[in-house]
Amino acid sequence: MTIQALYSGREDYWPAYQAALEKAFSTHGLDIALTRDAAPQEVDYVIYSPAGGLTDFAPFTKLKAVLSLWAGVERIIGNTSIQVPLCRMNETGLRDGMREYVCGHVLRYHLGMDRHIHGATWDGITPPLARDRTVTVLGLGALGQACADALKGLGFNVVGWSRSAKDLEGIECLHGNAGLNEALPQADILVTLLPDTPATQNLLNEETLKLLPKGARIINPGRGTLIDDDALLVALDAGHIGHATLDVFREEPLPEAHAYWAHPNVTVTPHIASVTRPETSAEKIAENIARCEAGEPLLDVVDRTRGY
Amino acid sequence: MTIQALYSGREDYWPAYQAALEKAFSTHGLDIALTRDAAPQEVDYVIYSPAGGLTDFAPFTKLKAVLSLWAGVERIIGNTSIQVPLCRMNETGLRDGMREYVCGHVLRYHLGMDRHIHGATWDGITPPLARDRTVTVLGLGALGQACADALKGLGFNVVGWSRSAKDLEGIECLHGNAGLNEALPQADILVTLLPDTPATQNLLNEETLKLLPKGARIINPGRGTLIDDDALLVALDAGHIGHATLDVFREEPLPEAHAYWAHPNVTVTPHIASVTRPETSAEKIAENIARCEAGEPLLDVVDRTRGY
């Protein structure tokens, strides 16, 4: 019997996703009718992003799973009309893009590139080597691990921190509140890659920002809610934080009047650090449907108590 | 018998090199008197950079080797008063610094960072993944290989080119004139890491620049002589070359009036891509002296016919 899958994502992405999904379904030998307008009671799988506008899953009476196109699920996890497994996106394109963004901006800070890009003089200031620079990565999920590994590969001294204990080769892994108090003071450059949960909101606040060494640089490609924006602006103005590169914000697009846009020590990037790529994410969705149809456990099922 | 070593390099670097060299000599169990003013006829080894001003080696009648602190030896290779082996510097600090500089600027171009650093709007333009971007590395010596490997590790599609055939895992290696004609048209980003020899001077000229795809970006941390400056400026003004980041120049410091400083599509960095670090280079010099004293072959001996 033909499986029914509903695409409920950004309309302008539909052609790209339609092509990529149909190709991936075919590769997996799946007989799936992919549409944007199936009758809810006939839908087996919803391929979801918040942009699709779907909020009431109650009419989807035979639904088997909701497959998110986004890695962050904070906008759907509290939706009580979903009674089936909800899977986060976790795919190589998302991971690789994040790794490239993080390595790029860490190296930018490390090399002092902005001075040269703005047009320096022949000052002859030589940057130290990466091995003399510590990068602290907050969050050691799939994305955080990929970034920590790549930074280690580039020679940086990497400290990782996560809520629960983790063990990564060649990386000093800290966890819990005590670990955070130890991880932050070491960070010449801090990368925040935590999910948005009640436990991570405003993790970087007036108090924790003070734990960073003077002049520390912050890169946030994780979630806008991780940072108390007012506290960061105060720390930047005081010169305690040297510079921040922010890719995610509480409100997106970042409002034109927001102080971040004009701040001389803030770089805004428009939520580009990591985007789900149709080709690789379609493969992941096809794999999860194939697993579900074969009665195997789904991959990357969201744990609603943990929040991601 | 005590070995006599003469330091003939930058005066302001002497304290750092003195400390680092004495430490390395001691680690290798070498009994060496290190000075800046030994009588030439008593000197066994000269530790050399052009900044030391030494040009006549004839009085050094018992000299065993000249050990260069620089990787590039174009300013000493033609000195016919040297009748003993001349060794280039090849050390981990030099290599690591170069790798960091090259990866940083490649990622900068890849991610379109300058737009954000200058203050972009919320354009939402997402960069492609590194695997969809080709970086061509000209020169596959110790530095070129380290850069090619690191770029591959970051996910880039890497094409390497050298004068003679080389074989690097995971990297398409081309060589010779025919190989150059094949390597250049593939380069979204070109990195030039060749030594300065008669064969490499103006390798990037009016003709070869045309082989690059429109909008290609060039990173030159190798030698200033590799590029015909006038031809590059013409290609930049015509928009054929999108941007260039240049670290080395025919005249250094780059004269204030040079067109590169003011060009909107050129970034000048002040010869910082890779500098010899006292600690790691001292270790390399100690190792070479130990080898020579033990009658073993020296490392990184310059081939005067090849030019490096």
Side-chain angles (χ1 to χ4, degrees):
Chain A
M1 217 180 88
T2 301
I3 301 160
Q4 300 288 330
L6 177 74
Y7 173 86
S8 180
R10 267 178 67 160
E11 200 178 324
D12 54 338
Y13 286 180
W14 165 245
Y17 272 106
Q18 184 182 29
L21 285 164
E22 286 180 348
K23 189 175 161 208
F25 293 157
S26 156
T27 304
H28 281 264
L30 291 165
D31 176 19
I32 299 184
L34 175 68
T35 63
R36 289 192 294 166
D37 52 10
Q41 67 278 9
E42 288 176 6
V43 170
D44 297 290
Y45 300 94
V46 170
I47 297 163
Y48 172 89
S49 88
L54 186 57
T55 52
D56 183 12
F57 289 80
F60 293 78
T61 48
K62 60 177 279 213
L63 195 63
K64 296 174 185 166
V66 176
L67 307 170
S68 172
L69 289 167
W70 287 16
V73 288
E74 65 273 10
R75 287 171 63 180
I76 188 178
I77 196 166
N79 189 324
T80 52
S81 71
I82 301 178
Q83 303 291 328
V84 295
L86 165 66
C87 299
R88 307 167 50 225
M89 183 47 67
N90 173 12
E91 50 97 22
T92 59
L94 199 66
R95 182 199 66 197
D96 293 351
M98 184 61 86
R99 189 178 58 183
E100 293 160 19
Y101 179 94
V102 167
C103 288
H105 284 281
V106 166
L107 283 166
R108 167 190 161 211
Y109 281 141
H110 170 60
L111 297 167
M113 255 186 217
D114 290 25
R115 207 171 65 243
H116 304 125
I117 291 169
H118 286 306
T121 53
W122 194 275
D123 58 19
I125 298 170
T126 306
L129 290 171
R131 59 178 173 243
D132 297 320
R133 197 83 86 167
T134 298
V135 184
T136 296
V137 178
L138 301 186
L140 296 173
L143 300 182
Q145 284 188 30
C147 293
D149 284 343
L151 291 167
K152 188 80 203 167
L154 287 168
F156 289 99
N157 180 36
V158 181
V159 173
W161 178 85
S162 50
R163 203 184 51 152
S164 52
K166 299 227 170 162
D167 191 17
L168 301 181
E169 207 187 314
I171 291 161
E172 182 191 353
C173 291
L174 300 166
H175 71 279
N177 289 339
L180 189 64
N181 293 342
E182 206 180 319
L184 293 177
Q186 299 185 59
D188 295 317
I189 301 168
L190 180 73
V191 181
T192 50
L193 276 170
L194 294 156
D196 175 10
T197 73
T200 63
Q201 280 171 25
N202 293 323
L203 188 82
L204 286 191
N205 52 44
E206 192 188 335
E207 232 171 285
T208 50
L209 286 169
K210 281 187 185 147
L211 293 177
L212 290 164
K214 185 171 163 58
R217 273 74 63 98
I218 296 172
I219 300 169
N220 181 20
R223 280 294 180 237
T225 52
L226 303 177
I227 298 180
D228 177 334
D229 297 314
D230 293 335
L232 176 57
L233 285 164
V234 168
L236 283 161
D237 289 337
H240 181 66
I241 300 302
H243 204 281
T245 294
L246 310 171
D247 187 56
V248 286
F249 304 91
R250 281 187 163 73
E251 189 183 343
E252 292 184 7
L254 182 68
E256 275 180 43
H258 199 288
Y260 283 149
W261 279 118
H263 202 288
N265 293 330
V266 173
T267 297
V268 171
T269 61
H271 203 144
I272 55 158
S274 179
V275 297
T276 304
R277 316 265 165 177
E279 202 178 307
T280 41
S281 61
E283 166 55 33
K284 186 63 190 289
I285 282 173
E287 188 184 353
N288 247 346
I289 294 180
R291 293 175 75 97
C292 192
E293 293 296 314
E296 293 167 16
L298 288 157
L299 301 174
D300 300 300
V301 176
V302 169
D303 177 342
R304 289 182 171 81
T305 61
R306 199 176 54 170
Y308 61 95
Chain B
M1 215 180 87
T2 301
I3 302 160
Q4 300 288 331
L6 177 74
Y7 173 86
S8 181
R10 266 178 68 160
E11 199 178 326
D12 54 336
Y13 287 180
W14 165 245
Y17 272 106
Q18 184 182 28
L21 284 164
E22 287 180 347
K23 189 175 162 207
F25 293 157
S26 155
T27 304
H28 281 264
L30 291 165
D31 176 19
I32 299 185
L34 175 68
T35 62
R36 289 192 294 165
D37 52 10
Q41 68 277 10
E42 288 175 6
V43 170
D44 297 290
Y45 299 95
V46 170
I47 298 163
Y48 172 90
S49 88
L54 186 58
T55 53
D56 183 12
F57 289 79
F60 293 78
T61 48
K62 59 178 278 213
L63 195 63
K64 297 174 184 167
V66 176
L67 307 170
S68 172
L69 290 167
W70 287 17
V73 289
E74 64 273 10
R75 287 171 63 180
I76 188 179
I77 197 167
N79 188 324
T80 53
S81 71
I82 301 178
Q83 302 291 330
V84 295
L86 165 66
C87 299
R88 306 168 50 226
M89 183 47 66
N90 173 13
E91 50 96 24
T92 59
L94 199 67
R95 181 199 67 198
D96 293 351
M98 185 61 88
R99 189 178 59 183
E100 294 161 19
Y101 179 94
V102 167
C103 288
H105 284 281
V106 166
L107 283 167
R108 167 190 161 211
Y109 281 141
H110 169 60
L111 297 167
M113 256 186 216
D114 291 24
R115 206 171 66 243
H116 304 125
I117 291 169
H118 286 305
T121 52
W122 195 276
D123 58 20
I125 298 170
T126 306
L129 289 171
R131 59 178 173 245
D132 297 321
R133 197 83 85 168
T134 297
V135 184
T136 295
V137 178
L138 302 186
L140 296 173
L143 300 182
Q145 284 188 29
C147 292
D149 284 342
L151 291 167
K152 188 79 203 170
L154 287 168
F156 289 98
N157 179 37
V158 181
V159 173
W161 178 86
S162 49
R163 203 184 50 150
S164 52
K166 299 227 170 163
D167 191 17
L168 302 181
E169 207 187 313
I171 291 160
E172 183 190 353
C173 291
L174 300 166
H175 71 278
N177 289 339
L180 189 64
N181 293 342
E182 206 180 318
L184 292 177
Q186 299 185 59
D188 295 316
I189 301 168
L190 180 73
V191 180
T192 49
L193 276 169
L194 294 156
D196 175 11
T197 73
T200 63
Q201 279 170 27
N202 293 323
L203 189 82
L204 287 191
N205 52 44
E206 191 187 337
E207 232 172 283
T208 50
L209 286 168
K210 280 186 185 148
L211 294 177
L212 290 164
K214 186 172 162 57
R217 271 75 63 98
I218 296 172
I219 300 169
N220 181 19
R223 280 295 180 237
T225 51
L226 302 177
I227 299 179
D228 176 334
D229 296 315
D230 292 336
L232 176 57
L233 285 164
V234 168
L236 282 162
D237 289 337
H240 181 66
I241 300 301
H243 204 281
T245 294
L246 309 172
D247 187 57
V248 285
F249 305 91
R250 281 187 163 73
E251 188 183 344
E252 293 185 5
L254 182 67
E256 275 180 43
H258 199 287
Y260 283 149
W261 280 117
H263 202 289
N265 293 331
V266 173
T267 297
V268 171
T269 60
H271 203 143
I272 55 159
S274 180
V275 296
T276 303
R277 316 263 166 181
E279 203 177 307
T280 41
S281 61
E283 165 55 33
K284 186 63 192 288
I285 282 174
E287 188 184 352
N288 247 347
I289 293 180
R291 293 175 74 97
C292 192
E293 293 297 314
E296 292 167 17
L298 287 158
L299 301 174
D300 300 299
V301 175
V302 169
D303 177 341
R304 289 182 170 82
T305 61
R306 199 175 55 169
Y308 61 93

